[in-house]
Amino acid sequence: MSLWEYANPRRFMAVSATVLPWTWAAAALLCATGLVWGFFFTPEDFRMGNSVKIIYIHVPSAFIAINAWFMMLVASLIWLIRRHHVSALAARAAAPVGLVMTVVALLTGAIWGKPMWGTYWEWDPRLTSFLILGLFYLGYMALWSAIEDPDAAADLTAILCLVGTVFAVLSRYAAQFWSQGLHQGASLSLDAEENISDVFWLPLVVSLAGFVALFLALVLLRTRTEIRRRRLATLTARERLA
Amino acid sequence: MIALLLRDLRLATRAGGGFGLGLAFFLILATLVPLGVGPETDRLAPIGPGILWLGALLACLLSLDRIFALDLEDGSLDLLATAPIPLEGVATVKALAHWLTTGLPLTVVAPALSLLFFLPTTALPWLVLSLLIGTPALSWLGTFGAALTVGLKRGSLLLSLLVLPLYIPTLVFGAEVVRRGAEGLPVGTPLAVLAAITLGCFALLPFASAAALRINLR
């Protein structure tokens, strides 16, 4: 029994069909628990008031936005090295989810930023690097949709993902170098001296887990759609030949 | 490799090669910005370094889609792929030819254009140095983008979408060098990082470009 057995599309379809409803259920349950707990059963922050509660959407979506790219990087590497088609399709499936999460993180940040910082947008390193991350997602998706041959598209986007990762990380440090930050530092790190209080931390972790489950469910669903689309293309091609 | 370099340079400089187009674009951009934002010294001087770097970047972008597209059309790219020099070498030479025909001329005319933005003369050496060090990275990155999109019909728009985000670090550090130079601050750190980016591009991107070319020629 090895992980690579799921690289077989038939096997992947069978397993993901049974896993997918559970993932959806976990996503719905965890998101609902985390968000309801966070929105209605936590105290107001003494300085930020009610607006602190946007953290339960902002932080998980930002977390997913970054990690979706790393998932794409790993999937691209697997495709380039071991040529498993499911892996390439999973990378393709994750990109729009990552882009939406980037936009959600930027939007919730803007909504929170207006009353707290007095501005919707600030050229802060973190905000800037998120905007740049969104651009990288856009370019990656545009390249996928521009190339007709599916294998060439998978190869080229995988290479773009590798080069893009290096430059996305570089851009993050360039942005840090280029302007001073307004965004608060990490408040969830395990090794930090000062984290947010447990009252806020526990529901945040629950909704973080919910967003991870939601991401998994969406990627599984989209990968299944891609596999079916690929099968349909093969069938129609065969039909045309016959 | 030298023969290929000379051939590319000859193709670029002769009629229809588009040499000078980037330069003319750079000049027009430098003329249009003051017309757009107003001619006051205290307004133009602070944005000058950024505008000059941005202009260099966009001028580089203009000629990118020619790097491989023409060779693919007339079949010489297939010959290059089967030639005794590795495709990585071809990608390096193509990038070098692109830099010699866009980046280097831009670097040479930039000091003249910086007068339009009232840049202090103390900033001029830093402007030239930062462009000299930074623009090769733009050419190498652009060659990678051109290799990715070489087979596509409407590749040039996609090419800008793919390449411009990759230009961000170079732009940030390049403009920072000039800005600090103009204000008389130490420029060592951004200059070193800029050089590091360019050297990293030299070392790694030809492999990525060659891989993309091989996929597109498959």
Side-chain angles (χ1 to χ4, degrees):
Chain A
M1 185 62 201
S2 112
L3 181 69
W4 303 115
E5 283 179 30
Y6 299 107
N8 178 346
R10 187 183 297 275
R11 177 108 201 190
F12 175 84
M13 288 302 264
V15 172
S16 63
T18 49
V19 169
L20 191 55
W22 293 101
T23 322
W24 276 122
L29 190 71
L30 288 169
C31 280
T33 316
L35 293 182
V36 170
W37 183 2
F39 284 153
F40 298 111
F41 300 103
T42 56
E44 292 179 6
D45 183 81
F46 79 100
R47 239 180 317 161
M48 293 187 273
N50 255 329
S51 74
V52 71
K53 291 177 178 177
I54 208 161
I55 193 178
Y56 303 111
I57 299 176
H58 181 71
V59 171
S61 58
F63 176 80
I64 298 292
I66 295 170
N67 286 289
W69 186 274
F70 283 115
M71 187 229 121
M72 281 158 57
L73 173 68
V74 172
S76 301
L77 276 174
I78 294 175
W79 159 250
L80 281 179
I81 296 166
R82 303 199 57 150
R83 317 292 300 172
H84 293 318
H85 285 267
V86 174
S87 160
L89 291 179
R92 177 179 197 177
V97 185
L99 178 63
V100 169
M101 289 297 180
T102 311
V103 173
V104 168
L106 283 175
L107 278 182
T108 50
I111 293 167
W112 179 87
K114 186 63 187 169
M116 289 303 122
W117 294 346
T119 169
Y120 287 112
W121 181 258
E122 180 64 43
W123 287 101
D124 165 274
R126 283 201 191 203
L127 276 66
T128 315
S129 34
F130 250 73
L131 196 61
I132 295 169
L133 180 66
L135 294 180
F136 274 101
Y137 274 122
L138 272 181
Y140 179 86
M141 285 160 59
L143 190 63
W144 257 113
S145 56
I147 304 169
E148 278 165 29
D149 178 48
D151 276 6
D155 279 331
L156 292 175
T157 49
I159 295 175
L160 177 68
C161 185
L162 299 192
V163 175
T165 306
V166 175
F167 278 84
V169 173
L170 262 180
S171 304
R172 188 197 179 297
Y173 288 103
Q176 242 168 16
F177 184 83
W178 159 83
S179 105
Q180 293 300 312
L182 193 59
H183 198 292
Q184 48 271 74
S187 45
L188 290 179
S189 341
L190 295 173
D191 56 349
E193 297 256 314
E194 193 175 326
N195 270 337
I196 54 169
S197 151
D198 275 355
V199 192
F200 302 111
W201 192 70
L202 289 174
L204 183 55
V205 168
V206 174
S207 71
L208 207 57
F211 268 67
V212 171
L214 180 67
F215 172 72
L216 282 179
L218 285 170
V219 170
L220 280 178
L221 181 72
R222 293 183 55 87
T223 313
R224 286 167 61 81
T225 317
E226 291 292 338
I227 291 174
R228 290 210 168 108
R229 186 188 289 163
R230 192 72 67 94
R231 282 182 181 165
L232 187 66
T234 323
L235 282 178
T236 39
R238 209 178 286 161
E239 197 95 319
R240 220 177 292 136
L241 283 176
Chain B
M1 285 176 90
I2 293 169
L4 179 63
L5 179 66
L6 290 177
R7 166 186 172 273
D8 272 10
L9 288 180
R10 223 173 284 138
L11 277 177
T13 44
R14 292 206 177 147
F19 177 72
L21 212 67
L23 271 182
F25 178 82
F26 194 39
L27 179 65
I28 291 175
L29 194 88
T31 319
L32 288 184
V33 169
L35 290 176
V37 302
E40 294 86 11
T41 310
D42 52 350
R43 192 175 301 173
L44 284 178
I47 61 168
I51 298 292
L52 286 174
W53 253 95
L54 205 58
L57 195 141
L58 293 175
C60 259
L61 198 65
L62 270 185
S63 48
L64 283 183
D65 54 343
R66 313 179 62 92
I67 296 183
F68 292 118
L70 298 177
D71 285 349
L72 183 77
E73 272 170 28
D74 64 9
S76 40
L77 197 57
D78 294 304
L79 287 180
L80 288 176
T82 50
I85 56 169
L87 215 45
E88 284 81 1
V90 173
T92 307
V93 171
K94 287 279 183 184
L96 183 62
H98 180 263
W99 181 70
L100 286 175
T101 50
T102 54
L104 191 59
L106 288 180
T107 310
V108 174
V109 299
L113 291 185
S114 74
L115 295 178
L116 297 178
F117 291 97
F118 312 113
L119 279 193
T121 42
T122 49
L124 288 191
W126 300 120
L127 177 68
V128 174
L129 194 61
S130 74
L131 282 171
L132 198 64
I133 292 178
T135 45
L138 303 182
S139 289
W140 259 254
L141 280 168
T143 310
F144 167 65
L148 276 183
T149 55
V150 67
L152 297 173
K153 300 236 166 25
R154 292 171 306 281
S156 52
L157 194 62
L158 181 65
L159 180 60
S160 4
L161 183 60
L162 294 182
V163 166
L164 280 179
L166 300 176
Y167 280 177
I168 291 170
T170 315
L171 171 69
V172 168
F173 289 111
E176 185 74 18
V177 170
V178 189
R179 212 168 51 88
R180 291 193 177 190
E183 289 168 12
L185 299 168
V187 295
T189 315
L191 205 59
V193 180
L194 189 66
I197 293 173
T198 304
L199 290 175
C201 287
F202 284 171
L204 299 175
L205 279 175
F207 294 98
S209 313
L213 277 180
R214 278 195 198 99
I215 294 158
N216 271 323
L217 289 173
R218 204 159 52 195

